[in-house]
Amino acid sequence: MIYTIAINLFYNGQMLVSVFDLFSYLRKMKSSDYKRYIGSKNMIPISIIVPAYNEEKTIVDNIKSLLALDYYEYEIIVVNDGSKDSTRDKIIEEFGLTLVNQPVKRSVQTKDIRGIYRSPQYERIILVDKENGGKADALNAGINVSSYPIFASIDADSILENEALIKLTMIFVEHPETVAVGGIVRLANGSIIKDGKLIDMRIPKSRIASFQIVEYLRAFLTGRTSLSRLNSILIISGAFGAFNKSAVIEVGGYKANTIGEDMDIIIKLHEKMKREKRKYKIKFLADPICWTQAPESLNDLRVQRRRWQIGLFDNLIAYRGMLFRKKYGAVGLLTLPYYWLFELFGPVVEFLGYIFIPMAYLFGLLEFNTFLIYFIVAFLLGTALSMGSILLEQISFRKYTSFKDIMRLVLFALLENLGYRQLTILFRIEGILKFRKGRHAWGSIKRKQFVSTESK
């Protein structure tokens, strides 16, 4: 009971920190002249790396969205990681690519590259066709092919807003010591996409996807925003993040043969910078938006949450030597203990609470009033966090303008603790139990084509 209340109080404390940080960011953006850098030749050129494995349904829309970005100099490196579907052929056909002889510097080790494809019509696009080695290996191959000092990673089922890249890259200009920056990830399920652009934002019909909208708002607007303020964020979503390439190469690139590569690379950067006492920043921004697809079936949700928990467990074990070490600052003294206590073992404690607290009441070990107060307090604290995240979204960015959509989000925030949360807890516990067997297995999630205006 104490644990459940403590974790919810901690999360609500994070939300308060996030409120101040977000308002400070919004004030800064109002006076920022970042837009004048959109077409500037003096802006840092950037390489966008898109690892793709069996992404035939979304890859063309993804590339089109990247071609439409408001940025002067950038390249799009799509890494086909041995796909078994028509991902490679669709890219070649849509953009008229042909095989070229291009030398590649191996800054980090990867599986063999079969070929590189380019087109004079779309000079920004580079298609790298390689042997299957996993997402981390594909990202490393993209780093080797890339030409520019900053690279961004984006999932193949995601869409970037036009100004996302310039907002992310400005951090590297304002703070040259920055080694990594993450943008917020939001869900595109149910929204209308045309030629790689989100033109009509909607709440999805899928209840499972709708619950995840509330989850994503809570995770990004509160959790990551607050940890970023302490320069102790441990994960930048693989769906959208930007990195100083030389810093990533220094730590050996992404760790291959793992399903938590996005967390591993951030902890590795923290570890090296702290150990060498170098000045650095790893930031999260709530404004540069990446739209992605969320699972819409229970089975796909189960695969995703199980994978996330396994990746978390794997990384926490790998970097357990940083735990409670003063030389690692807030990362070792606050963030890593938080992840061990609340994110890794939280589902186990909460699950046991659902069993033992009702049993304590049934066997007369717990008075009814205490039993009732516990569940009311736990429900209200959990709901307050979700409601607060929705309110924060409406005050700051107002991406959901329809009153009907807002009310639907509020409804799902209320219902989240009455079944959905318990299911995700079971999936995460399964990830812990299957850690050894599943630590190198990604699993598969069904992708859908983005909804276009023609199918509206």
Side-chain angles (χ1 to χ4, degrees), residues 34 76 87 93 110 135 194 211 280-281 283 355 358 396:
Y34 74 91
I76 304 164
T87 297
E93 181 182 355
T110 71
K135 185 178 179 181
K194 183 179 181 182
F211 278 124
Y280 75 102
K281 285 184 181 294
K283 298 289 291 179
I355 296 174
S396 55

Side-chain angles (χ1 to χ4, degrees), residues 31 160 296:
S31 59
L160 289 187
E296 293 191 353

Side-chain angles (χ1 to χ4, degrees), residues 3-120:
Y3 182 93
T4 302
I5 292 171
I7 191 172
N8 280 291
L9 286 174
F10 186 89
Y11 288 152
N12 280 278
Q14 282 187 317
M15 186 172 66
L16 289 176
V17 174
S18 301
V19 169
F20 292 109
D21 193 70
L22 275 175
F23 286 171
S24 173
Y25 175 74
L26 290 171
R27 283 196 301 270
K28 173 191 167 186
M29 292 307 291
K30 281 182 180 179
S31 59
S32 174
D33 58 351
Y34 74 91
K35 288 191 176 182
R36 75 187 181 95
Y37 290 98
I38 288 174
S40 174
K41 295 181 181 179
N42 295 321
M43 198 58 186
I44 303 174
I46 188 168
S47 304
I48 304 174
I49 303 174
V50 186
Y53 177 73
N54 294 346
E55 301 286 359
E56 62 181 6
K57 292 183 178 179
T58 60
I59 191 64
V60 171
D61 275 324
N62 172 273
I63 296 172
K64 285 181 177 179
S65 83
L66 297 177
L67 286 170
L69 291 174
D70 290 331
Y71 206 84
Y72 180 75
E73 188 173 357
Y74 66 97
E75 61 185 0
I76 304 164
I77 303 170
V78 183
V79 184
N80 178 50
D81 190 42
S83 296
K84 296 178 181 177
D85 64 359
S86 59
T87 297
R88 188 195 68 168
D89 296 338
K90 280 203 168 188
I91 300 169
I92 291 173
E93 181 182 355
E94 180 70 28
F95 301 102
L97 305 180
T98 55
L99 185 65
V100 298
N101 183 19
Q102 178 175 325
V104 177
K105 179 183 177 181
R106 283 210 171 194
S107 299
V108 286
Q109 291 300 310
T110 71
K111 295 280 188 179
D112 289 340
I113 292 175
R114 297 168 179 165
I116 296 177
Y117 298 77
R118 305 191 71 152
S119 165

Side-chain angles (χ1 to χ4, degrees), residues 169-218:
T169 313
M170 280 298 296
I171 298 297
F172 292 96
V173 175
E174 295 169 352
H175 305 282
E177 71 274 19
T178 301
V179 295
V181 185
I184 192 169
V185 178
R186 296 190 181 224
L187 302 188
N189 301 60
S191 298
I192 307 299
I193 306 286
K194 183 179 181 182
D195 293 329
K197 292 184 180 180
L198 189 142
I199 61 173
D200 188 5
M201 186 173 174
R202 299 178 179 182
I203 301 294
K205 294 179 181 179
S206 164
R207 293 185 181 90
I208 293 173
S210 297
F211 278 124
Q212 289 172 82
I213 290 178
V214 177
E215 275 189 302
Y216 273 58
L217 287 176
R218 187 171 62 241

Side-chain angles (χ1 to χ4, degrees), residues 90-325:
K90 280 203 168 188
I91 300 169
I92 291 173
E93 181 182 355
E94 180 70 28
F95 301 102
L97 305 180
T98 55
L99 185 65
V100 298
N101 183 19
Q102 178 175 325
V104 177
K105 179 183 177 181
R106 283 210 171 194
S107 299
V108 286
Q109 291 300 310
T110 71
K111 295 280 188 179
D112 289 340
I113 292 175
R114 297 168 179 165
I116 296 177
Y117 298 77
R118 305 191 71 152
S119 165
Q121 185 179 355
Y122 297 96
E123 293 182 356
R124 296 189 191 277
I125 301 176
I126 304 170
L127 172 61
V128 179
D129 185 34
K130 63 178 288 292
E131 294 178 3
N132 179 259
K135 185 178 179 181
D137 194 72
L139 287 166
N140 286 336
I143 290 170
N144 287 340
V145 173
S146 66
S147 305
Y148 300 136
I150 303 296
F151 75 88
S153 63
I154 176 172
D155 282 350
D157 64 339
S158 301
I159 301 290
L160 289 187
E161 287 200 343
N162 280 11
E163 294 181 353
L165 209 58
I166 190 74
K167 290 176 181 177
L168 213 63
T169 313
M170 280 298 296
I171 298 297
F172 292 96
V173 175
E174 295 169 352
H175 305 282
E177 71 274 19
T178 301
V179 295
V181 185
I184 192 169
V185 178
R186 296 190 181 224
L187 302 188
N189 301 60
S191 298
I192 307 299
I193 306 286
K194 183 179 181 182
D195 293 329
K197 292 184 180 180
L198 189 142
I199 61 173
D200 188 5
M201 186 173 174
R202 299 178 179 182
I203 301 294
K205 294 179 181 179
S206 164
R207 293 185 181 90
I208 293 173
S210 297
F211 278 124
Q212 289 172 82
I213 290 178
V214 177
E215 275 189 302
Y216 273 58
L217 287 176
R218 187 171 62 241
F220 284 95
L221 289 183
T222 59
R224 297 194 187 178
T225 300
S226 59
L227 291 176
S228 174
R229 191 175 181 86
L230 297 172
N231 198 32
S232 63
I233 190 169
L234 287 195
I235 182 169
I236 285 177
S237 174
F240 184 37
F243 299 82
N244 180 306
K245 186 169 73 172
S246 63
V248 171
I249 291 173
E250 274 188 60
V251 296
Y254 286 87
K255 181 181 177 182
N257 199 27
T258 181
I259 60 174
E261 82 295 327
D262 50 358
M263 187 176 190
D264 175 82
I265 191 66
I266 299 301
I267 303 179
K268 261 199 301 195
L269 288 168
H270 276 301
E271 195 278 333
K272 183 175 179 63
M273 298 297 163
K274 292 286 186 184
R275 176 167 42 84
E276 297 181 358
K277 297 181 180 179
R278 288 159 64 174
K279 187 179 179 182
Y280 75 102
K281 285 184 181 294
I282 297 178
K283 298 289 291 179
F284 166 78
L285 298 180
D287 192 18
I289 297 174
C290 171
W291 300 98
T292 192
Q293 289 190 16
E296 293 191 353
S297 72
L298 278 177
N299 186 60
D300 285 346
L301 182 68
R302 176 189 174 195
V303 169
Q304 183 197 63
R305 298 311 163 91
R306 185 175 59 196
R307 184 181 73 212
W308 286 359
Q309 199 70 10
I310 291 172
L312 171 65
F313 201 177
D314 196 20
N315 279 296
L316 291 180
I317 289 175
Y319 295 98
R320 61 189 180 277
M322 295 173 65
L323 197 62
F324 299 120
R325 298 284 295 277

